[in-house]
Amino acid sequence: KASGGWRTYKLRQDFIAASKVQMEDDITASIVVPRSQIPNLPAEYDMFESLKISQNCEWRLFQRPDDAILPGFDQQTEEDLAGDQVFVSNFKPIYEEEMRDLSEQVDFYEILTEPMKKHMKRCIKEGGVNICSAKPRIWNGQQTKNPRYLQVRPDVAKPQDKYLAELGTRLYRRIPASDPCVFPVAGVISGRRNNPPDEINGMKILPLCVFNPIHYQELPELF
């Protein structure tokens, strides 16, 4: 800082550097069964009388890529939106002439990831209307803050990653190939969204982070 003061950053104490396999999102089927009915579980599950098993029922996840407005920052979104059969909402419709202009803006185009660059070049060649991940829809003269798209679940789009994760678990637990590899819910943790304060038509909206990470709410709102 200009004042000479120090800033200290640290990771959460429970942080583990790993890629996450998302097990569920908005629509989930679940069942609670006795612990004794699930074989081949590690010892840390012995403390539970029963366990919850969940299954994601969605093929696509409804994503809000707020950081995609920064070219090259949200690499996953740029890869997703550069693919085929993409459903998007609140992105600016861009025709070939404007897409060509964007590709000629060096300080914009060169920061984008390779999938989005190739996508823009293909749009210029094929013509028609398309989108760019860093160009949300213009509404009332301003860029909307609510761009959305449907993302194919990562474990479906890249099944090898999930397979390798499950294979590692099988080896660790020594599960026979003929038996299923079950991943029970090991903990329910309340979270918070660090949305900053906002203002609509002169009315101030408090940030959602006014709540503590874990706070009292009536069921089922807490979960």
Side-chain angles (χ1 to χ4, degrees), residues 64-119:
R64 177 178 172 174
D66 294 327
D67 295 330
I69 196 172
L70 305 173
F73 188 84
D74 191 336
Q75 299 181 15
Q76 184 62 55
T77 295
E78 293 192 10
E79 179 181 349
D80 292 338
L81 297 188
D84 298 324
Q85 300 180 352
V86 180
F87 179 89
V88 301
S89 176
N90 286 335
F91 280 89
K92 182 182 180 182
I94 302 176
Y95 289 86
E96 54 195 280
E97 288 300 322
E98 184 177 358
M99 193 71 80
R100 182 176 291 105
D101 292 339
L102 292 174
S103 67
E104 294 174 353
Q105 297 177 18
V106 179
D107 58 340
F108 174 85
Y109 180 78
E110 291 301 326
I111 304 176
L112 294 168
T113 58
E114 285 302 319
M116 184 52 58
K117 289 181 181 179
K118 293 179 180 179
H119 166 75

Side-chain angles (χ1 to χ4, degrees), residues 85-217:
Q85 300 180 352
V86 180
F87 179 89
V88 301
S89 176
N90 286 335
F91 280 89
K92 182 182 180 182
I94 302 176
Y95 289 86
E96 54 195 280
E97 288 300 322
E98 184 177 358
M99 193 71 80
R100 182 176 291 105
D101 292 339
L102 292 174
S103 67
E104 294 174 353
Q105 297 177 18
V106 179
D107 58 340
F108 174 85
Y109 180 78
E110 291 301 326
I111 304 176
L112 294 168
T113 58
E114 285 302 319
M116 184 52 58
K117 289 181 181 179
K118 293 179 180 179
H119 166 75
M120 294 175 66
K121 290 179 180 178
R122 185 175 70 249
C123 296
I124 296 171
K125 181 179 179 181
E126 297 178 356
V129 61
N130 224 297
I131 62 167
C132 174
S133 57
K135 295 296 178 181
R137 179 186 180 192
I138 304 299
W139 178 254
N140 288 335
Q142 295 182 342
Q143 292 180 327
T144 179
K145 296 181 180 179
N146 192 32
R148 302 272 184 163
Y149 80 99
L150 288 178
Q151 177 196 29
V152 177
R153 273 172 37 198
D155 63 310
V156 174
K158 300 178 180 179
Q160 181 177 351
D161 293 346
K162 182 181 179 181
Y163 172 79
L164 292 175
E166 181 177 316
L167 182 60
T169 302
R170 283 184 173 275
L171 293 174
Y172 174 75
R173 298 183 188 174
R174 300 182 179 182
I175 302 176
S178 58
D179 293 349
C181 184
V182 182
F183 295 92
V185 177
V188 180
I189 303 174
S190 305
R192 64 176 178 180
R193 295 179 61 186
N194 293 322
N195 294 51
D198 203 349
E199 185 173 311
I200 298 179
N201 298 328
M203 182 179 296
K204 292 185 177 180
I205 302 175
L206 293 176
L208 292 182
C209 59
V210 294
F211 292 109
N212 290 321
I214 296 182
H215 52 277
Y216 174 79
Q217 285 184 328

Side-chain angles (χ1 to χ4, degrees), residues 3-70:
S3 61
W6 284 78
R7 286 186 178 182
T8 302
Y9 298 91
K10 70 173 183 177
L11 297 173
R12 289 171 42 137
Q13 286 81 353
D14 59 349
F15 174 79
I16 300 176
S19 296
K20 181 183 73 171
V21 177
Q22 185 162 350
M23 302 296 290
E24 59 179 325
D25 195 53
D26 294 328
I27 306 176
T28 302
S30 63
I31 187 172
V32 177
V33 298
R35 161 68 180 83
S36 58
Q37 299 298 311
I38 307 177
N40 304 312
L41 288 179
E44 54 260 33
Y45 287 98
D46 291 344
M47 68 179 73
F48 303 108
E49 293 292 331
S50 58
L51 294 170
K52 180 178 181 181
I53 303 173
S54 65
Q55 175 65 44
N56 196 335
C57 296
E58 298 175 275
W59 178 50
R60 294 178 183 264
L61 308 178
F62 200 36
Q63 301 288 20
R64 177 178 172 174
D66 294 327
D67 295 330
I69 196 172
L70 305 173

